Amino acid sequence: MNLVAESLGFATLVGGWLVLLFALGLAMKSAPWHKVRNDRPAQNVWLGMTLIVFLVWQFSAQIAEGISFHFLLMTMMTLMFGWQFALFGAWLALIGLAFYLPTGWEAIGINALFMALLPIFVTEVFVKISERYLEQNFFVYVFFNGFLAAGVASVLALTTGGLLMWVNDVYSLAVLKQVFFPFIPLMAIPEGFVNGMLMAALIVLKPNWISSFHDRTHISGK
């Protein structure tokens, strides 16, 4: 879903931009630039995935005015490129959306907060948990880091979006309970399935595109 600036309060819009700028600053400082600086194929893959995210975020299923659903794909972006480049891609996608959708430039920050930053954070947490407590193999990677992480991220992101609409008086809590919150689990399952299946396909076809997957760790000797 994409929140529209006109329906949001000043504090929400400013707060979203402050969080986004802080996160972008951290990402710029910590991103492994040496891995992509002279790697044109890697740059093209990242740009291609960013374009796909932009296109996916344009098309959504609308169930009421101002309430719509679409895939996030942030778990896949995070697993492929790391949280920094996933955030850069989401930021560019949101800038592009500001040209094509009536969300407004002011809403880029708050949309990035729950559509990108929250799913990226959830995915990073799942990856750390799997590395520390679970056996490293193909199935754990796909089902835990891909399917489950994406599903949980979708639930938290959409719930946050719903709460933001409530806090900003876009819709009352009673209306959201009727036309928004019940659909969140129905989106979480396909979100997890799509991310998990795409990661499985990439592991088979293009494992070199996935920065967080390593044959020696997840496949060799398993």
Side-chain angles (χ1 to χ4, degrees), residues 159-217:
T159 300
T160 301
L163 293 175
L164 286 169
M165 287 192 289
W166 172 50
V167 170
N168 286 271
D169 293 323
V170 179
Y171 284 102
S172 68
L173 188 58
V175 171
L176 291 170
K177 287 181 178 179
Q178 184 178 11
V179 302
F180 182 76
F181 290 124
F183 292 93
I184 291 178
L186 300 179
M187 281 301 301
I189 295 175
E191 179 77 36
F193 180 79
V194 167
N195 280 266
M197 289 299 295
L198 288 175
M199 292 309 302
L202 286 174
I203 290 172
V204 174
L205 300 174
K206 294 290 184 179
N208 56 308
W209 287 6
I210 309 173
S211 65
S212 60
F213 184 87
H214 308 285
D215 289 346
R216 183 185 303 176
T217 302

Side-chain angles (χ1 to χ4, degrees), residues 59-141:
F59 302 102
S60 57
Q62 186 166 338
I63 59 176
E65 185 177 357
I67 297 180
S68 60
F69 294 95
H70 59 68
F71 291 117
L72 298 174
L73 300 183
M74 282 295 100
T75 291
M76 183 176 67
M77 287 285 285
T78 305
L79 294 176
M80 288 182 67
F81 308 112
W83 75 268
Q84 298 96 332
F85 292 109
L87 178 58
F88 296 150
W91 181 45
L92 289 179
L94 286 169
I95 291 175
L97 287 179
F99 284 102
Y100 291 95
L101 298 178
T103 54
W105 290 87
E106 303 92 334
I108 289 177
I110 196 62
N111 280 321
L113 176 61
F114 75 92
M115 287 171 55
L117 283 169
L118 187 54
I120 288 171
F121 175 76
V122 170
T123 304
E124 283 287 299
V125 169
F126 270 72
V127 170
K128 298 300 182 184
I129 291 174
S130 69
E131 291 176 347
R132 183 166 183 176
Y133 298 107
L134 302 178
E135 180 181 351
Q136 297 299 288
N137 58 49
F138 172 85
F139 296 101
V140 167
Y141 186 89

